[in-house]
Amino acid sequence: MYWLVENEEQLNVLINSGYKKAFIEVIPYNDTIHPVLNHVSLVYIRPIEASKGFMVCVTHSESLNALNTRVNELIDKFEVLYCRDKKETLHYFPNKTLYDITPPPHTYIRPTTPTHDLYYSKHKDNPELNLIIPIVKHYEICENIFGDLKANINKEKTKYDEFFNSKTSMVFNAIERNGVRIHNKTFSEYFHPVDGEYVYTQFNLKTTTTRPSNSFKNVNYAALNKENGSRKSFIPRNNRFVEIDISAYHPSLAASLIGYDFANIDIHAHFATLYNVDYKKSKELTFKQLYGGVFENYRHLEFFQGIEKYVGETWRKFESDGFVECEVSGYRYKKENLQNMNPQKLFNYLLQNLETSMNVRILWDMCVILRKCKTKLVLYTYDSFLFDLDDSEEGILDEIREVFKKYKLNIKEIEGYDYNFTE
């Protein structure tokens, strides 16, 4: 059978081939358009037992017989579909059989060809650019991707692989789908022109620390400026924004690692009493010691005694075993993958991983609560969750608050009719 599948007869052969496992790569209309707004041009399917991959044409200028109505029938035939980026592929095919074979610490960059580079340098704003790039060049990229990643398919699946596939990819895909409503004119003044009244964020989950970044088209949604007024360009689709922030998140996480109980008190106020300083100075002192090491004059405090013991024990395990395994996610920081490590830096990595994995748990619970609601979770940034609230859904905020209570986290709330909150 030829590698290009562009008519019903060829597709039927592939559907009835009996293959159960395959690698999938989606070619959208344009690589620079957000997946929520994009469409599928081609679908590369590489059955694991086959000697080559097949390019199924959905819509392309070189093919007369588009198969857009039957691609799902083909995909549903497979028991497992391995992919390069599950979060992204879910936008096109929300299929339960997708399995990401490049979870962190993989930072695989999708290759291109000189043909792609030429077309994108001259016509990147063409929303249907991939429909005019020759199919054979797309096929060449997909074959290269499979060649680069096929060894990952047979690697033993870890606890973290399962966590990443069953939870992490799913929750961040859900947030991306929601989008954020904007005041178009204001957003264009501060950022870039947009067609329509929504923008969509894009999380990069495959970072060295596993802490996701979040940007799209040079807008850093994880660090929107609080001072220049740009946040007023984000407005609710429903009635109002409610932002829930976790108070003293990293001290709370550190406490969970060492078995220390703050008993639901205001952590920074508690330390202010112990340090004999004001609230603001207390926050500063606590964070400096968590991230940079405990100060001599506070080593007698029970919390910091626990921190120093944990940092030392973790470092000794890292040195002797060559890795440490993170709480919740099961992610392993391996000595062979990390340069210039030291005890404090390793502890910071562990905190960031625990932050992300705990947030995945929280986000999963949020998705369950909001599954059929008008209220949407539209932005997430480390210790902050922005909800676009519909006032007709009474009690939804109480359900959301219960999630944080479940994980023994203190929160504070702020609300407004745009995102330019003043505290």
Side-chain angles (χ1 to χ4, degrees):
M1 182 178 170
Y2 192 54
W3 61 267
L4 180 60
V5 178
E6 55 181 338
N7 61 48
E8 296 281 339
E9 183 180 353
Q10 293 168 329
L11 186 63
N12 284 332
V13 171
L14 190 54
I15 287 174
N16 296 316
S17 63
Y19 293 124
K20 298 299 182 183
K21 298 180 179 181
F23 176 83
I24 183 173
E25 179 75 14
V26 177
I27 306 298
Y29 276 28
N30 184 306
D31 295 338
T32 66
I33 297 174
H34 195 284
V36 171
L37 303 172
N38 224 332
H39 302 283
V40 178
S41 171
L42 303 159
V43 180
Y44 173 81
I45 296 286
R46 173 64 186 259
I48 304 306
E49 296 178 0
S51 59
K52 64 176 181 291
F54 300 94
M55 189 67 88
V56 181
C57 181
V58 177
T59 304
H60 196 279
S61 62
E62 292 180 347
S63 179
L64 298 176
N65 298 303
L67 300 169
N68 56 314
T69 58
R70 298 195 61 204
V71 173
N72 285 319
E73 183 182 348
L74 169 64
I75 287 174
D76 288 343
K77 285 287 183 178
F78 292 96
E79 294 176 356
V80 183
L81 280 170
Y82 300 105
C83 60
R84 172 183 57 83
D85 188 331
K86 179 173 178 175
K87 175 180 66 66
E88 181 179 321
T89 309
L90 280 168
H91 285 298
Y92 303 112
F93 299 105
N95 194 288
K96 293 181 180 179
T97 61
L98 290 171
Y99 196 93
D100 197 314
I101 55 173
T102 64
H106 299 285
T107 52
Y108 181 74
I109 299 174
R110 185 174 177 268
T112 62
T113 67
T115 302
H116 283 78
D117 294 339
L118 177 64
Y119 274 85
Y120 272 91
S121 67
K122 293 180 181 252
H123 311 289
K124 67 177 182 179
D125 293 328
N126 180 344
E128 299 183 350
L129 183 55
N130 282 338
L131 276 62
I132 58 176
I133 294 176
I135 295 178
V136 69
K137 306 312 291 184
H138 292 308
Y139 183 75
E140 180 183 333
I141 282 181
C142 293
E143 287 278 278
N144 288 338
I145 293 172
F146 179 75
D148 292 340
L149 301 179
K150 63 182 179 182
N152 292 353
I153 291 172
N154 294 321
K155 283 185 177 178
E156 183 180 354
K157 303 302 183 283
T158 66
K159 177 183 174 183
Y160 181 72
D161 292 334
E162 298 302 325
F163 183 81
F164 185 85
N165 273 279
S166 64
K167 294 285 194 295
T168 308
S169 297
M170 307 287 282
V171 297
F172 288 106
N173 172 269
I175 299 173
E176 289 182 2
R177 284 176 179 272
N178 288 337
V180 193
R181 190 181 176 210
I182 57 166
H183 183 273
N184 193 295
K185 184 176 182 295
T186 309
F187 184 91
S188 299
E189 289 172 357
Y190 282 102
F191 300 108
H192 59 76
V194 175
D195 290 329
E197 58 177 340
Y198 287 89
V199 292
Y200 295 90
T201 65
Q202 190 168 54
F203 291 93
N204 174 19
L205 306 181
K206 300 178 181 184
T207 61
T208 304
T209 64
T210 72
R211 194 187 207 196
S213 57
N214 183 14
S215 64
F216 190 71
K217 286 196 171 181
N218 297 318
V219 181
N220 186 354
Y221 291 100
L224 291 167
N225 194 306
K226 294 183 178 181
E227 310 297 332
N228 68 354
S230 61
R231 289 185 172 215
K232 65 186 177 185
S233 60
F234 300 94
I235 57 177
R237 74 192 78 191
N238 294 308
N239 298 105
R240 55 195 164 107
F241 280 148
V242 176
E243 184 176 67
I244 297 180
D245 294 330
I246 301 174
S247 301
Y249 199 9
H250 278 201
S252 299
L253 294 174
S256 72
L257 289 174
I258 65 173
Y260 187 88
D261 188 2
F262 281 108
N264 293 324
I265 61 174
D266 185 319
I267 293 173
H268 294 307
H270 173 66
F271 276 120
T273 302
L274 296 177
Y275 299 145
N276 195 27
V277 298
D278 63 28
Y279 194 90
K280 182 178 179 182
K281 186 64 176 179
S282 171
K283 289 178 68 174
E284 178 188 329
L285 286 171
T286 301
F287 286 126
K288 278 185 176 179
Q289 293 179 88
L290 276 182
Y291 304 139
V294 179
F295 299 161
E296 183 66 37
N297 52 328
Y298 298 123
R299 280 198 169 125
H300 66 283
L301 297 178
E302 183 183 352
F303 175 77
F304 288 117
Q305 287 177 356
I307 293 295
E308 286 203 309
K309 181 181 177 183
Y310 181 86
V311 169
E313 290 176 349
T314 304
W315 179 252
R316 286 190 288 275
K317 180 174 175 56
F318 182 71
E319 288 282 271
S320 63
D321 298 350
F323 72 91
V324 289
E325 184 170 297
C326 299
E327 299 281 340
V328 181
S329 69
Y331 183 81
R332 289 187 172 187
Y333 284 111
K334 296 182 179 179
K335 197 172 182 180
E336 63 195 63
N337 297 330
L338 299 169
Q339 302 297 319
N340 303 316
M341 290 301 290
N342 60 57
Q344 192 62 44
K345 187 175 180 181
L346 180 62
F347 178 64
N348 294 345
Y349 274 33
L350 289 168
L351 269 185
Q352 288 191 25
N353 182 277
L354 183 58
E355 172 203 89
T356 301
S357 54
M358 283 301 300
N359 284 343
V360 168
R361 282 183 169 180
I362 292 167
L363 292 167
W364 182 271
D365 291 349
M366 300 297 180
C367 288
V368 171
I369 292 170
L370 300 174
R371 188 167 41 197
K372 296 181 180 179
C373 295
K374 294 177 182 177
T375 296
K376 305 292 181 185
L377 173 61
V378 294
L379 269 182
Y380 146 79
T381 51
Y382 311 137
D383 61 355
S384 176
F385 303 77
L386 182 67
F387 297 90
D388 188 328
L389 189 70
D390 188 296
D391 286 338
S392 68
E393 294 173 332
E394 292 185 21
I396 203 73
L397 270 180
D398 286 334
E399 289 187 55
I400 289 168
R401 292 179 188 117
E402 283 299 315
V403 172
F404 294 101
K405 189 179 294 185
K406 168 184 170 183
Y407 295 112
K408 299 180 179 179
L409 296 168
N410 295 325
I411 59 173
K412 58 182 180 179
E413 297 178 25
I414 187 170
E415 63 178 65
Y417 297 103
D418 61 37
Y419 195 32
N420 197 37
F421 296 136
T422 54
E423 297 189 50

